[in-house]
Amino acid sequence: MPIPVRSIPNGEAPSPGVTYPVPERWQRTYVSIRGRNGEGEEIPLTGLRSRAWPAMVLQPGATGLDLPTYSVHMDESPNLDGSTVRGARASARQILLPCFVYGIDRKTLRQLKAKLADALNPKNGYSVLTFIEQNGEPRRLKCYYVGGMEGSEAVGASGFTWISYGIQLIAADPYFYGDTATAASWSFGTDQPLLGSSFLPITLAKGTVSTGTLTIENPGDIEAWPVWEITGPLKRFKFTGPDGTSFGIPDQPSGLDALPSDRTLTVDCRPGYKTVRDDTGKIYFPLLSANPSLWSVPSGTSTATADLLSGSGSPTVKMSLYPRYLTY
């Protein structure tokens, strides 16, 4: 049934103790697209100054810019009602951008269409959609053009100096990224913040085993995969993630350092990369302990652990990650 609500007439004082929200003035969202793997010319899709100004303008009706679609995997039992949920995964993001291309003359329109076609051509690489709100934090999405710019000469779809498109894009990675990585470094023997918190209680002397706790802050909406940079010497190391899985290199049968002095080992945990190699290009995957997991960091605050044995020197550890967001 409807809920009765009494409106407050203009000029009537609000009830005592009631605080009414005041809307904050907020500027319009800036939107642009840049082709050629994000290295091409940036094309603004908002901010048309007047009808005398040639531009490409994002029209009302854009879709696919908030939560991505998900596939929920379930198993059915022949003897029980319902199903058992096994997991969920985000699907590739489908995007529709209604765009209006306006030129001050026919030549200008042709130039604008050629510029847009170059930015969208998937053979030139992916395009980067950028959204910037009033707070100034950009959110970027990598996507590929799949259709919508075929063009139509129908009445209402184009004119001598203008044309409308319903540009269709697909983002294989459905998440938005910012420009700022969350990163910090830690040197053994000198306490430094790691991702906003202390890498404690590690105090590592040469040849001494040390175990410490890492409190990690991920400001994104979902999990993110870190990139580690570990500089030797280390006889062994092991990093255990919040989910209990781990990766590391055990003691070597030869007794030598697993990671020699002045060598920097990069452990890239990101999907599509998953590399473990040093600055000379040597691959360290065969040296990892059995069943390694290049784990991810969940959103918010989480805790991981480090177990290290230094060689003769001062090792350092750096960890960085790019937060991921569900929407712009």
Side-chain angles (χ1 to χ4, degrees):
M1 59 177 291
I3 300 176
V5 177
R6 186 179 71 89
S7 62
I8 300 177
N10 293 332
E12 180 179 331
S15 302
V18 177
T19 302
Y20 293 93
V22 178
E24 180 182 352
R25 295 184 60 86
W26 197 265
Q27 296 179 359
R28 296 294 183 181
T29 306
Y30 172 82
V31 185
S32 70
I33 191 168
R34 188 190 295 265
R36 297 184 176 272
N37 294 328
E39 300 296 329
E41 179 183 354
E42 184 174 17
I43 301 175
L45 298 180
T46 55
L48 180 63
R49 302 186 183 184
S50 70
R51 293 191 63 184
W53 200 271
M56 305 175 201
V57 184
L58 183 62
Q59 298 286 90
T63 62
L65 300 177
D66 289 321
L67 198 68
T69 58
Y70 284 83
S71 299
V72 179
H73 303 288
M74 296 181 290
D75 291 340
E76 294 186 4
S77 172
N79 299 321
L80 298 175
D81 296 335
S83 301
T84 301
V85 177
R86 297 301 184 189
R89 60 176 296 274
S91 304
R93 185 186 291 265
Q94 306 283 343
I95 300 167
L96 173 64
L97 298 179
C99 286
F100 180 81
V101 183
Y102 175 76
I104 58 174
D105 52 30
R106 185 67 176 179
K107 180 180 179 181
T108 305
L109 175 63
R110 289 170 54 85
Q111 292 173 341
L112 291 175
K113 290 199 298 183
K115 181 188 296 186
L116 183 60
D118 181 76
L120 294 176
N121 187 351
K123 289 194 172 183
N124 293 335
Y126 59 80
S127 302
V128 176
L129 274 178
T130 299
F131 300 81
I132 303 178
E133 295 283 1
Q134 179 174 291
N135 57 15
E137 297 179 3
R139 294 285 184 265
R140 306 190 194 277
L141 183 70
K142 296 178 181 179
C143 47
Y144 288 88
Y145 168 82
V146 293
M149 199 181 165
E150 295 83 0
S152 172
E153 298 298 324
V155 176
S158 66
F160 191 69
T161 59
W162 64 273
I163 191 168
S164 293
Y165 296 121
I167 296 174
Q168 302 166 35
L169 305 171
I170 186 170
D173 182 346
Y175 301 115
F176 291 83
Y177 290 80
D179 288 346
T180 304
T182 301
S185 62
W186 192 89
S187 297
F188 298 126
T190 304
D191 294 337
Q192 296 180 359
L194 181 70
L195 302 186
S197 300
S198 297
F199 194 6
L200 296 173
I202 293 181
T203 302
L204 191 66
K206 295 178 181 178
T208 302
V209 177
S210 182
T211 302
T213 300
L214 295 78
T215 301
I216 306 174
E217 298 287 344
N218 175 8
D221 297 328
I222 57 170
E223 75 277 3
W225 277 265
V227 177
W228 297 82
E229 294 182 12
I230 308 166
T231 301
L234 280 171
K235 291 188 175 298
R236 72 166 186 261
F237 65 87
K238 179 181 179 181
F239 293 94
T240 303
D243 60 355
T245 61
S246 64
F247 69 88
I249 298 179
D251 290 313
Q252 299 303 294
S254 63
L256 299 176
D257 292 340
L259 182 62
S261 178
D262 299 327
R263 285 284 177 266
T264 298
L265 180 66
T266 300
V267 182
D268 194 335
C269 303
R270 295 175 297 171
Y273 295 86
K274 301 294 185 183
T275 56
V276 183
R277 66 180 65 189
D278 67 12
D279 49 328
T280 67
K282 178 182 176 180
I283 298 175
Y284 279 68
F285 247 117
L287 299 181
L288 293 179
S289 301
N291 302 317
S293 173
L294 303 186
W295 42 267
S296 62
V297 177
S299 61
T301 303
S302 58
T303 301
T305 59
D307 184 2
L308 311 106
L309 176 60
S310 175
S312 179
S314 300
T316 62
V317 174
K318 178 181 179 181
M319 180 173 145
S320 60
L321 59 83
Y322 276 95
R324 309 192 300 168
Y325 301 93
L326 292 171
T327 183
Y328 66 91

